């Protein structure tokens, strides 16, 4: 417990009921959670397997597990349920699947799989329409709205279309014995609500819950927390209402409001000491967030000194902004002998990155874009991996569906739906169901023939894949499915070339691993799941970080350039109603509090859109920061240096004059 402040220690030791820890930005919340887990096990004799810590990302869960492992032991940390909400949902559902009419080895569809199902039902391949339909259904599911209830909530044509697709979408998933990401929360809630005996079993199994980033929970996650903790209400929720920035994807800040009402014994502890940023940065951030209605009164403070002035630069246009930021970054790095990884350029929307990328490339400055698409997430790579997954595991139903329909080979959605229903009844995989006589009686011969042909092909390749080198089997697989032709038939030539080049790069990589490790294709396939290009150690790479404000949450950088701070961008032009405006202000607050030592804001006086220049205004949030600690440049507004800076300069001048007199 060395080095903890009194509020942190109180949060760790409090076990007399439900606890809400209001942890401001940079206040050491991750340390508090890890120390509390250690305290529960080491000092309070909780069994490790009875403690669950829930995070929102795999990265956060991994970091938490490592911290707990250092405080206790790696083996003890591995006994605990330190995971995302969704991973916990999977654990519950694998064990209780039969109660819901699913087999334990149900499939989990990713966003692309789900979009394909919705597209088939809605009769569209338009990506924009699909994205909107998927988002609407996702928000309904997160809010625990059933397909029947959704029909009563419809307010426009798009929602009506989504409601119509929702019912069929759920039926199709059930037929495939599959769940989507939202089901991993919704189904445990349904399970515990309808079966109190199962809820009690899990309450007894998980005797203490800790929830990180509580402000980001949606309605389903809140209900799951309530049902898991039961009447004992032994939990610690850690969050910050000032950093609630995910309302657009279903997060509900009302979950914070509900806690004191639904848990009258709730204890609230505030962590207000910031260990990240200088006093000036925190003052500006506090000034901005003070314009929001407060759920809980809280004000960050720091012992890290006054710090550098914050700069706000008005730029002629977006090209000038990108050029100016990169020049300023270079000069700052040279002056302070810093590393590239000390710097971050943060923006509201992904499209803003383009100009900065161009300037960084021209200046030969290495950079990385947070949240960039993994090589393994590209559609063409996922297509090939689907075949490999099926070769390695015939029970992998999502892989079966993707491989059976890409490229198209006469196996339609109707055939797959019948197959899914039959497999669910028989509690077998889709692959094995296709060979059963019972299924053959349910479809026409013309439906059965291409399905059996595909399954027999997989069997033949499978036999070779277990004994022959990957570099022999893989080219034959690609040739047999004629994937190159499929790409050129369905894409523009340039896109097809790029995608086929990615496939070749992937197969060359696999062939290289084959030569290096002497593994068969099956061996390599089983290890692919452990390989992620997103797992690279970014901290070890000396690169400037480019990131959206949403992706930067939870991260920190010594020096931050917050760009495009304009009306219509931050706050976004579609977020000007009072509720959305408050979330935009919280997004600004998140951006400001990423900075440790220096903070530089910029905006454009006009912004190029297509061929035209559109006049821009500085964001209202800049004025809300106050003027005392800010140096303005490049625009109409020029502000005198603040008193602290003026005094420092006067002292330096006096010292210099004194030296000259000697």
């Amino acid at each position: 417990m060395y080095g903890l402040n009194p509020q942190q220690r109180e949060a760790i030791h409090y076990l007399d009921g439900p606890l809400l820890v209001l942890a401001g930005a940079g206040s050491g919340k991750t340390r508090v959670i890890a120390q509390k887990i250690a305290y529960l096990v080491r000092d309070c004799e909780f069994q490790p397997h009875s403690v669950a810590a829930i995070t929102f990302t795999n990265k956060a869960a991994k970091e938490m597990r490592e911290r707990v492992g250092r405080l206790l032991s790696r083996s003890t940390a591995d006994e605990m349920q330190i995971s995302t909400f969704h991973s916990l949902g999977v654990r519950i559902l694998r064990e209780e699947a039969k109660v819901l009419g699913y087999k334990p080895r149900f499939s989990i569809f990713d966003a692309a799989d789900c979009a394909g199902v919705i597209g088939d039902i809605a009769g569209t391949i338009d990506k924009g329409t699909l994205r909107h339909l998927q988002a609407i259904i996702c928000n309904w599911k997160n809010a625990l709205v059933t397909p029947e209830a959704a029909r009563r909530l419809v307010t426009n044509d798009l929602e009506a279309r989504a409601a119509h697709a929702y019912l069929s979408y759920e039926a199709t998933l059930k037929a495939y014995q599959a769940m989507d990401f939202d089901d991993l929360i919704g189904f445990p809630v349904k399970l515990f609500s309808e079966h109190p005996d199962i809820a009690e079993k899990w309450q007894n199994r998980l005797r203490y819950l800790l929830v990180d980033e509580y402000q980001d929970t949606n309605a389903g996650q809140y209900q799951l927390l309530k049902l898991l903790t039961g009447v004992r209400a032994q939990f610690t929720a850690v969050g910050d209402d000032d950093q609630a920035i995910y309302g657009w994807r279903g997060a509900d800040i009302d979950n914070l409001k509900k806690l004191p009402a639904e848990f009258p014994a709730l204890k609230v502890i505030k962590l207000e000491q910031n260990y990240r940023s200088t006093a000036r940065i925190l003052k500006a951030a506090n000034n901005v967030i003070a314009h929001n209605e407060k759920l809980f009164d809280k004000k960050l403070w720091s012992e890290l000194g006054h710090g550098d002035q914050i700069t706000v630069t008005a730029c002629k246009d977006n090209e000038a902004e990108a050029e100016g930021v990169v020049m300023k970054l270079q000069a700052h790095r040279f002056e302070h002998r810093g590393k590239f990884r000390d710097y971050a350029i943060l923006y509201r929307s992904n499209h803003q990155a383009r100009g900065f990328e161009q300037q960084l490339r021209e200046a030969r400055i290495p950079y990385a874009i947070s949240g960039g698409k993994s090589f393994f997430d590209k559609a063409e790579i996922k297509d090939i991996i689907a075949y490999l997954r099926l070769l390695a595991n015939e029970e992998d139903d999502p892989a079966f569906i993707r491989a059976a329909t890409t490229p198209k080979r006469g196996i339609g959605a109707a055939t797959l739906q019948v197959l899914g229903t039959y497999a669910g009844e028989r509690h077998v995989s889709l692959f094995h169901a296709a060979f059963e006589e019972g299924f053959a009686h349910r479809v026409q011969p013309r439906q059965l023939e291409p399905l059996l042909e595909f399954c027999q092909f997989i069997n033949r390749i499978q036999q070779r894949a277990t004994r022959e080198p990957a570099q022999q089997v893989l080219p034959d697989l690609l040739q047999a499915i004629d994937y190159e032709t499929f790409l050129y038939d369905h894409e523009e030539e340039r896109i097809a070339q790029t995608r086929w080049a990615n496939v070749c790069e992937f197969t060359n990589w696999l062939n290289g691993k084959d030569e290096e490790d002497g593994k068969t294709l099956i061996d390599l396939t089983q290890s692919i799941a452990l390989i992620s290009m997103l797992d690279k150690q970014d901290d070890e790479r000396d690169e400037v970080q480019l990131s959206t404000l949403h992706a930067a949450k939870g991260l920190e950088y010594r020096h931050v350039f917050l760009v495009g701070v304009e009306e219509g961008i931050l706050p976004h032009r579609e977020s000007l109603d009072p509720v959305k405006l408050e979330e935009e202000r919280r997004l600004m607050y998140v951006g400001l509090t990423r900075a440790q030592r220096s903070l530089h804001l910029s905006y454009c006086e006009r912004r190029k859109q297509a061929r035209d220049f559109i006049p821009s205004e500085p964001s209202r949030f800049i004025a809300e920061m106050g003027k005392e600690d800010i140096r303005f440049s490049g625009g109409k507004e020029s502000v005198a240096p603040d008193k602290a800076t003026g005094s420092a300069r006067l002292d330096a001048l006096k010292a210099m004059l004194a030296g000259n007199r000697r």
Side-chain angles (χ1 to χ4, degrees), residues 108 221 243 319 321 578:
I108 301 169
Q221 289 159 340
Q243 296 187 73
E319 288 183 12
E321 181 185 38

Side-chain angles (χ1 to χ4, degrees), residues 357-372:
E357 280 194 82
Q358 188 177 338
Q359 290 295 327
L360 289 165
R361 281 198 301 269
E362 287 181 8
R364 297 189 176 181
I365 295 173
Y367 68 91
I369 298 181
S370 296

Side-chain angles (χ1 to χ4, degrees), residues 477-493:
L477 172 65
L478 291 172
Q479 188 176 356
I481 65 176
D482 205 8
Y483 193 77
E484 184 178 9
T485 303
F486 162 74
L487 288 176
Y488 279 91
D489 285 347
H490 288 81
E491 303 283 2
E492 295 176 12
E493 186 173 355

Side-chain angles (χ1 to χ4, degrees), residues 347-355 548 569 572-573 607:
Y347 36 81
R348 174 65 175 80
S349 302
N350 276 309
H351 68 83
Q352 294 171 257
R354 200 171 299 121
T548 64
I569 296 178
H572 195 273
R573 63 181 178 274
R607 185 167 287 274

Side-chain angles (χ1 to χ4, degrees), residues 441-477:
H441 292 307
R442 297 194 186 186
V443 292
Q444 300 295 320
R446 59 181 174 78
Q447 293 174 290
L448 184 62
E449 188 179 340
L451 190 62
L452 286 178
E453 190 177 317
F454 168 72
C455 293
Q456 288 159 358
F457 162 71
I458 294 295
N459 273 337
R460 289 194 301 274
I461 296 291
Q462 202 174 34
Q463 289 169 12
R464 290 182 59 194
T466 56
R467 59 178 189 269
E468 295 179 27
Q471 53 191 310
Q472 291 180 16
V473 182
L474 204 50
D476 291 350
L477 172 65

Side-chain angles (χ1 to χ4, degrees), residues 266-393:
L266 183 76
K267 172 87 169 173
V268 179
I269 297 173
K270 300 174 186 176
L271 304 184
E272 296 172 295
Q273 183 174 358
N274 176 286
Y275 296 92
R276 175 186 298 158
S277 308
T278 61
R280 274 176 165 147
I281 293 169
L282 291 184
K283 184 180 177 183
N286 285 332
N287 286 346
V288 169
I289 207 65
H291 288 77
N292 275 3
E293 275 191 46
K294 302 294 275 184
L295 289 179
F296 303 94
D297 193 36
K298 178 175 83 287
K299 197 166 185 177
L300 296 184
W301 59 277
S302 169
E303 292 182 341
L304 297 176
H306 213 47
D308 297 343
Q309 268 191 305
I310 298 167
T311 68
V312 175
T313 305
C315 306
K316 182 178 71 174
D317 53 37
N318 30 327
E319 288 183 12
E321 181 185 38
E323 186 179 353
V325 164
V326 172
M327 285 178 63
K328 193 170 184 177
L329 188 154
Q330 281 182 297
H332 191 280
R333 176 178 170 269
F334 180 78
E335 183 183 347
H336 294 84
R337 298 184 180 183
K339 299 183 183 297
F340 286 121
R341 65 171 176 260
D342 294 336
Y343 295 83
I345 301 172
L346 307 182
Y347 36 81
R348 174 65 175 80
S349 302
N350 276 309
H351 68 83
Q352 294 171 257
R354 200 171 299 121
F356 297 96
E357 280 194 82
Q358 188 177 338
Q359 290 295 327
L360 289 165
R361 281 198 301 269
E362 287 181 8
R364 297 189 176 181
I365 295 173
Y367 68 91
I369 298 181
S370 296
K373 201 173 197 182
S374 164
F375 183 74
F376 290 97
D377 284 336
K378 296 180 184 292
E380 60 273 19
I381 305 304
K382 290 179 76 172
D383 286 343
I384 305 306
I385 287 176
Y387 281 90
L388 303 184
R389 282 166 48 192
L390 189 57
L391 292 174
N393 177 18

Side-chain angles (χ1 to χ4, degrees), residues 568-587:
I569 296 178
L570 184 65
H572 195 273
R573 63 181 178 274
E574 294 177 3
S575 302
L576 298 180
D577 68 77
V579 174
K580 289 181 179 177
L581 184 61
E582 288 208 343
E583 181 156 321
E584 290 291 297
R585 187 174 283 112
R586 292 194 291 269
L587 193 57

